[in-house]
Amino acid sequence: MKRTAVNPWSWSLKLGYNQAEVIEGLTRQVTCAGQTSVDDEGNPQHLGDMRGQINLALDNLEAVLKHAGMDLSNVTKLGVYATDVDEALKNFDLMGMRFGPHQVAPPMTLLGVTRLAIPGLLFEIEATASA
């Protein structure tokens, strides 16, 4: 798979994502459901702690990708939902810490929402991955 960044402007790079990517040579694609801060039984964790929730949601995303034979380097699109966008952005260094070592900056949308499916959850991340 070959990825080519498309950035008519550079401002999004400072935020850790490309405006678009051209993906060539695709052989497999995985669409991941939204991952949140839940344990193996689906119980919410880190209530009231946006940083803790982002960290566990990313752990859970990595676990799903691993079971599909992929990792964060394969992520080609992210959808992020937060009940407090400002608080999520304060903790987005976690995104850079996870995706940075893979040298990818997948296109991303961040949306503020009133609530998520399970009360107490503050952050959810969904991904499309390709190989």
Side-chain angles (χ1 to χ4, degrees):
M1 175 178 79
K2 178 182 174 194
R3 301 169 74 133
T4 304
V6 178
N7 290 299
W9 320 276
S10 62
W11 62 262
S12 65
L13 296 175
K14 294 178 224 162
L15 297 173
Y17 69 94
N18 290 312
Q19 291 292 321
E21 290 184 337
V22 176
I23 308 295
E24 299 174 86
L26 174 70
T27 58
R28 290 179 63 229
Q29 185 175 44
V30 174
T31 303
C32 301
Q35 298 302 307
T36 59
S37 178
V38 295
D39 64 15
D40 293 348
E41 302 295 319
N43 300 308
Q45 304 295 304
H46 307 289
L47 297 177
D49 176 9
M50 179 69 78
R51 189 168 188 84
Q53 288 202 18
I54 292 172
N55 209 28
L56 184 52
L58 288 167
D59 286 347
N60 290 340
L61 176 60
E62 286 189 278
V64 170
L65 290 169
K66 182 177 179 181
H67 276 78
M70 296 187 187
D71 61 30
L72 293 178
S73 70
N74 298 103
V75 173
T76 57
K77 174 77 172 96
L78 292 169
V80 178
Y81 307 90
T83 59
D84 183 337
V85 171
D86 293 329
E87 190 63 23
L89 287 171
K90 287 179 193 174
N91 292 285
F92 254 44
D93 61 308
L94 293 170
M95 300 285 283
M97 289 167 36
R98 298 290 185 103
F99 285 91
H102 296 283
Q103 298 182 335
V104 295
M108 172 178 47
T109 299
L110 169 60
L111 295 173
V113 296
T114 304
R115 63 162 280 196
L116 295 168
I118 299 172
L121 293 178
L122 307 172
F123 183 88
E124 185 166 343
I125 185 167
E126 62 185 15
T128 302
S130 304

